[in-house]
Amino acid sequence: MLRMENYREMRNVIVKDKEFKLLLSDIQIKESIGRIAEKINTDLKGKNPLFLAVLNGSFMFAADLMKSITIPCEICFVKLASYEGMESGGKEKEVFGLSERIDGRTVVIVEDIVDSGRTMHQLLSSLSSRNPAEIRIATFLFKPKALQSDLKLDYVAFEIPNDFVVGYGLDYDGYGRNYGEVYTLVR
């Protein structure tokens, strides 16, 4: 008999006009998040951390991670909004939604994916100006070959190739966030 989890692992998905194949199963994801949560529970015991989940992409990771966090903590959600303007010709990010005071607190950024690291550096700069005791980074996915700067990631669920992925909160043109697995682009 073919079990449902095996069936799900064999299929490809179509998101809009692109085909994607399975990269990470829901079982792999749950196991890795459990591992990260255990480490956070140990590392941050007695620190009452504030988790900052970066929307939109991290919503599934943040929800599943928080289910396994057993230490006293808080969570809030922030969004990064882009605007044009720097001499590099790139986009700068501004943090919206952070109304909590973070001075003297341990802050854990909960991110869906770190690739170039530019967005994370901008977020770290913005948060550092608010005088937290420390900032840690928990990311669901990390693309080490795409990283363009020095960045310390404290908790990484998965290192993946520099491929385009969808699922588990990550999207293609707004679609595909709802999958419980992560899929990589085929064509």
Side-chain angles (χ1 to χ4, degrees), residues 56-114:
N56 289 338
S58 76
F59 77 98
M60 285 183 134
F61 175 47
D64 285 344
L65 178 65
M66 295 308 293
K67 290 174 192 174
S68 296
I69 298 296
T70 58
I71 58 174
C73 64
E74 293 178 88
I75 186 169
C76 68
F77 300 87
V78 296
K79 189 159 182 135
L80 302 179
S82 301
Y83 59 92
E84 298 289 334
M86 298 327 253
E87 53 271 358
S88 68
K91 293 183 176 182
E92 287 296 310
K93 307 281 185 184
E94 186 176 344
V95 180
F96 286 97
L98 181 59
S99 57
E100 287 80 359
R101 293 180 52 115
I102 65 170
D103 52 306
R105 297 231 21 214
T106 295
V107 174
V108 180
I109 298 169
V110 181
E111 181 64 291
D112 59 348
I113 189 166
V114 173

Side-chain angles (χ1 to χ4, degrees), residues 4-36:
M4 183 54 138
E5 63 205 56
N6 293 334
Y7 169 74
R8 292 184 74 174
E9 290 181 13
M10 292 189 296
R11 70 183 168 103
N12 287 2
V13 296
I14 304 295
V15 180
K16 293 189 76 172
D17 59 341
K18 305 279 186 228
E19 181 179 359
F20 295 83
K21 68 179 180 179
L22 186 72
L23 178 65
L24 301 169
S25 72
D26 57 347
I27 293 169
Q28 291 172 295
I29 291 168
K30 286 176 186 167
E31 288 173 355
S32 188
I33 291 173
R35 177 185 47 81
I36 287 174

Side-chain angles (χ1 to χ4, degrees), residues 61-187:
F61 175 47
D64 285 344
L65 178 65
M66 295 308 293
K67 290 174 192 174
S68 296
I69 298 296
T70 58
I71 58 174
C73 64
E74 293 178 88
I75 186 169
C76 68
F77 300 87
V78 296
K79 189 159 182 135
L80 302 179
S82 301
Y83 59 92
E84 298 289 334
M86 298 327 253
E87 53 271 358
S88 68
K91 293 183 176 182
E92 287 296 310
K93 307 281 185 184
E94 186 176 344
V95 180
F96 286 97
L98 181 59
S99 57
E100 287 80 359
R101 293 180 52 115
I102 65 170
D103 52 306
R105 297 231 21 214
T106 295
V107 174
V108 180
I109 298 169
V110 181
E111 181 64 291
D112 59 348
I113 189 166
V114 173
D115 44 30
S116 72
R118 286 190 305 260
T119 298
M120 187 56 64
H121 272 291
Q122 292 168 349
L123 180 56
L124 287 170
S125 177
S126 175
L127 294 176
S128 293
S129 70
R130 298 176 185 219
N131 302 314
E134 67 177 320
I135 301 173
R136 296 191 182 209
I137 301 169
T139 186
F140 177 58
L141 300 177
F142 173 47
K143 295 180 178 180
K145 291 191 179 196
L147 192 63
Q148 298 176 0
S149 59
D150 188 31
L151 189 62
K152 180 183 181 282
L153 302 175
D154 301 281
Y155 310 101
V156 177
F158 297 98
E159 287 188 8
I160 64 168
N162 193 17
D163 297 334
F164 189 79
V165 293
V166 298
Y168 203 73
L170 295 120
D171 72 301
Y172 165 50
D173 201 17
Y175 291 86
R177 292 187 195 276
N178 55 308
Y179 293 116
E181 308 85 12
V182 174
Y183 294 85
T184 187
L185 183 65
V186 173
R187 59 179 170 81

